[in-house]
Amino acid sequence: MCGIVGFVSSGPVIDGLIQGLKKVEYRGYDSAGVAIIEQGIIKRHRAVGPLAALMTELPPFQGTVGIGHTRWATHGRAEEKNAHPHCGKGTAVVHNGIIENFQALKKDLSFQGIQFESDTDTEVIAHLFATSEHLTNLQERVLFVLKQLKGNFAIAVLLQDCTDCIIVARKGLSPLAVGQGKEGFYVGSDLSSLSGSAQKVAFLEDETWGVLYKDQAIFYDWTGQEKHLNFYPNPLQAQETEKGDFQHFMLKEIYQQADLVRIQGLPALPAEVCQASFFTALGCGTAFYAAWVGKFFLERLAKRFLNLELASEFHYRNPILPDGVSIVVSQSGETADTLKATLYAKSQQQYVLGMINAPHSSISRQVDYLMPTGAGTEIGVASTKAFTMQVLSFLNLSLALCSDAPLRQTVLDSLKEIPSVLKDIIQRSHEFAQIAAVLSQYQSILYLGRGLHYALALEGALKMSELSYIHAQGFAAGELKHGPLALIDPQHPVVVLAPWDESFSKTLSNLHEVKARNGPIFLITDTKGAASLEGLKPEGLFMYPSLQEPLLQVFPNAICVQLLAYYTALHKGLSIDQPRNLSKSVTVE
Ligand code: F6R
């Protein structure tokens, strides 16, 4: 979602701000802006559209204190008047999150004669700072404003009365990171914005605010007591946030999987996890589908029950949870729904295990035991390597809990085959480009799979719809004749994930049912499956080498559905790393 950046230095900050904004672009946005203190006056520049639009006609700012923002519309359309920073008299504010009482505050401020120019909730913050100018003590002034704001928010503020600093504050779910570099202090909505610039970083805790100067930063709690923040070396290297020779981050991240999926050594689990017989997995979107695969692993290999829950639904129904372990799955570690679900699980005395890719994220800081998924920085909005590494983490967890030593050894042996199988698929990417050219002509695609492959069918359909804007929906192959078969005709192709396994022949029967209704079939299978098609002639076929252990077919299947979605979007000329309307880090519910 929206991205915040800020920089206070001894030299001009505009280049640093723009670099920071480029690094938060991946979060998804529809407008952007900067505000800078120029010779004691706040100057602002905003534009709708990509950063390139902001850069055209960007004034030659020379100021040494500034803030910037990429906005993903929530309150008010994507128009320049709604783009951040928002200004009041002598103030400018960038904001992530939602000010829940903004209507009431707006009414009060309007009574005082203040004119609003935007439809946003953020603008009230700027005017509250403006109306607090009578408070000459900075602490009193900031607390006067913060205490009036309800909701979750992260903000960075410029004050014309305080020309050498940026005020930062965080309440609730919206994260905010501060960085210290050779050239000054930075603020950003995540670590990406600080990569390559800050050597040391710290996250603002809930209900914390601070003042950043070029050579020091002071932090306070909501009562005004000074508090210490732990800075640690910035874990993010600049090259991780660069595309290198790849056309898109997504392609780079798909390719990286061949090196990532390998035996890592099983985790040394805490007693609470080893002894638990009831697990609940919580996640949204792709993370939820990874947990779905995890259910198979945990039940087959560790013989433990796993209850799957969509984090976005979970806490609203106040579910009853038997004693056990909740596994929260998240790439960003900032997803508001997943954070809420985590807090609910904790409130129910669950032991919380976090499978998180961003180890310093808000959710990581809440869990009892962290299993970092180790995918590295993922920039493409559509999750690829993060999914695969979540799946690998479930595999590692399940193997660590598996008491059947020969079974564990078979799986570990088969895991050694994965890197070369994934490399083989990647080398044959052009085959997906050919299938994608055909698929891109359709308005709607069904994805089918059985068992473990059903989870991948759901993930494949999600990837296809978010990237290509083609309606795509996943079904369990066995459900076909319970309804979706009515959709099948020459205009409704099916993408089928069916490598050879114990359910292959059943899926094959389903495919014959599709064929009998002239539905085009695009089959992803392995060599054994392709050799057992019994006369079925799919319109498109991709086949990868057969694996020793069918449970691990999830890895090649994952790369196949990712490449299919990637090439379909490429064929349609769409924005691959930032699909429309979507955001990498979903920090609002
Ligand atoms: C889809 C995708 C999303 C995320 C979901 C959860 O490609 O990326 O469905 O998986 O928004 O995000 P995290 O894992 O950051 O909690």
Side-chain angles (χ1 to χ4, degrees), residues 300-318:
R300 291 245 182 114
L301 301 172
K303 309 281 178 243
R304 313 284 172 105
F305 179 74
L306 187 134
N307 163 42
L308 262 180
E309 298 273 0
L310 273 172
S312 53
E313 290 284 322
F314 180 64
H315 59 281
Y316 292 111
R317 67 167 214 272
N318 297 323

Side-chain angles (χ1 to χ4, degrees), residues 145 161 296:
V145 175
D161 301 340
F296 277 80

Side-chain angles (χ1 to χ4, degrees), residues 284-288 329-335 338 363 378 381-384 390 459 462-463 466 583-586:
C284 294
T286 289
F288 176 73
V329 190
S330 175
Q331 187 288 123
S332 61
E334 301 296 349
T335 303
T338 312
I363 301 177
E378 190 179 69
V381 165
S383 191
T384 51
Q390 287 159 353
E459 168 61 5
L462 173 67
K463 222 84 305 174
E466 72 179 321
S583 158
K584 185 74 186 156
S585 191
V586 186

